[in-house]
Amino acid sequence: MALFSSLTPVFIAIICVLIGIILKKTNGEKEKQDIKSKLTSRPWVDEDLKDGTDHPLEEEEGDEEWQGLEENVAHVPFTAERYSEAEMIKRSQTFYELLNKRRSVRFLSDEPVPREVIDNVIRTAGTSPSGAHTEPWTFVVVQNPYLKRKIREIVEEEEEINYKKRMGDRWVNDLKRLRTNWIKEYLDTAPYLILIFKQVYGRFPNGKKKTHYYNEISVSIACGILLAALQNAGLYTVTSTPLNCGPQLRVLLQRPANEKLLLLLPVGYPKKDATVPALTRKPLEDIMVVM
């Protein structure tokens, strides 16, 4: 009995530890289920495509109730233009040849570009499909020299840190063959800068939040259409994703907290002495699988 009595505190301690482990495991499983539930309840959120520019202090309250679209949309007859097989092949080949000439050009002229052309290419980008037709994009066109200079200062300051500290040796070495660095002369020489913002949510007239489904994928598709429209108009650009510049550029351009910078495009004509890397594209058999 004395032995049992002396061991009792030990048994109690062991039981307490086991109970603690069981409770911790149970709570952990519950947290995992809660996280899983949240992810499955909002499948349109591009968890694997976050742009890295989010600033927690700039976010608005996240616990406000999300409200779906209630407006009934009338459906109208659709008339499609149909081509002969020969015309389809010809048009598809011609369009491919046009876009195959597209190159990322870092040496842009300051030669003026008609503003109407910029309006038209952005209208074209606005024809992009989007989740539930929420059209979650804002295209900010900058032609003011002062703003272009400020944008260049912000981008170059952050890009120097990126190249020297954030990006890592492998990334920097992979870029060496393209001869790129943190100096972005084109940001104040190009006649236009187009900054594309994704709207992570919208607002109804009554002020309630409007869900923007698949906002990043939707805006990315619009960017692709914009690049094609620029090429079609005879203008050139280089796709710039200014890492860690989003919050500063959003404030500079007075954009609201629900907008996050996705892409920055300097737009213009190439300089007469512009050069591009001698790159090749993968052949069709390397990018297409026919089942």
Side-chain angles (χ1 to χ4, degrees):
M1 288 295 292
L3 177 63
F4 180 79
S5 177
S6 63
L7 290 177
T8 298
V10 177
F11 290 140
I12 293 174
I14 292 173
I15 291 171
C16 290
V17 170
L18 290 175
I19 292 173
I21 292 172
I22 293 170
L23 289 174
K24 185 176 181 181
K25 185 176 180 182
T26 303
N27 290 336
E29 291 297 326
K30 186 176 184 302
E31 287 177 4
K32 287 181 182 178
Q33 290 176 359
D34 289 343
I35 293 172
K36 186 176 180 182
S37 175
K38 288 179 182 178
L39 291 175
T40 53
S41 65
R42 291 177 59 193
W44 60 85
V45 178
D46 307 313
E47 293 294 337
D48 59 336
L49 293 174
K50 291 196 173 180
D51 63 6
T53 65
D54 293 349
H55 195 301
L57 297 178
E58 296 170 342
E59 296 291 349
E60 297 188 6
E61 291 295 327
D63 58 355
E64 185 175 343
E65 182 181 356
W66 289 71
Q67 182 174 328
L69 300 175
E70 297 178 353
E71 180 183 0
N72 290 321
V73 179
H75 284 222
V76 296
F78 174 69
T79 303
E81 189 168 0
R82 184 158 180 169
Y83 306 105
S84 67
E85 288 190 8
E87 181 66 12
M88 289 170 63
I89 293 171
K90 179 182 176 182
R91 290 172 66 91
S92 63
Q93 178 67 25
T94 300
F95 191 64
Y96 159 70
E97 291 172 356
L98 171 67
L99 291 191
N100 194 40
K101 296 175 183 177
R102 188 206 58 78
R103 297 301 307 270
S104 294
V105 178
R106 293 174 171 82
F107 304 100
L108 295 173
S109 165
D110 60 0
E111 183 180 352
V113 170
R115 169 62 187 279
E116 188 176 358
V117 176
I118 302 301
D119 292 350
N120 286 336
V121 296
I122 291 180
R123 282 194 186 99
T124 303
T127 68
S128 174
S130 60
H133 193 61
T134 50
E135 302 176 288
W137 41 67
T138 301
F139 300 89
V140 178
V141 177
V142 178
Q143 55 184 349
N144 180 284
Y146 168 78
L147 285 177
K148 289 194 292 182
R149 166 59 63 173
K150 294 299 293 183
I151 290 171
R152 179 177 177 180
E153 290 175 0
I154 291 171
V155 171
E156 288 187 341
E157 180 179 355
E158 290 294 331
E159 280 286 81
E160 184 174 6
I161 300 172
N162 293 336
Y163 271 81
K164 292 181 176 180
K165 295 181 179 180
R166 297 185 182 122
M167 288 163 52
D169 293 340
R170 180 180 297 178
W171 190 351
V172 173
N173 287 332
D174 284 345
L175 290 173
K176 278 183 179 178
R177 66 193 183 105
L178 303 178
R179 300 179 189 175
T180 67
N181 54 39
W182 58 85
I183 306 300
K184 312 293 183 184
E185 179 185 347
Y186 49 74
L187 290 177
D188 56 10
T189 57
Y192 293 100
L193 302 181
I194 302 176
L195 293 90
I196 301 98
F197 288 81
K198 62 174 184 177
Q199 301 170 7
V200 294
Y201 58 85
R203 290 286 184 188
F204 285 101
N206 62 6
K208 286 201 174 272
K209 283 186 180 179
K210 179 173 68 173
T211 308
H212 279 176
Y213 308 94
Y214 299 106
N215 57 77
E216 184 143 353
I217 293 176
S218 299
V219 179
S220 298
I221 295 171
C223 290
I225 293 176
L226 177 58
L227 291 173
L230 289 170
Q231 180 71 14
N232 182 62
L235 295 175
Y236 290 83
T237 185
V238 55
T239 52
S240 173
T241 51
L243 185 65
N244 295 297
C245 299
Q248 294 180 73
L249 295 178
R250 181 175 67 75
V251 171
L252 175 68
L253 300 173
Q254 300 179 349
R255 303 311 308 158
N258 67 318
E259 295 188 1
K260 305 299 177 186
L261 181 62
L262 188 67
L263 199 65
L264 191 166
L265 300 178
V267 174
Y269 303 109
K271 287 184 175 180
K272 292 182 179 180
D273 58 352
T275 61
V276 295
L279 302 176
T280 58
R281 293 188 167 96
K282 292 180 179 180
L284 181 63
E285 57 268 22
D286 285 353
I287 64 173
M288 183 177 74
V289 176
V290 179
M291 307 299 287

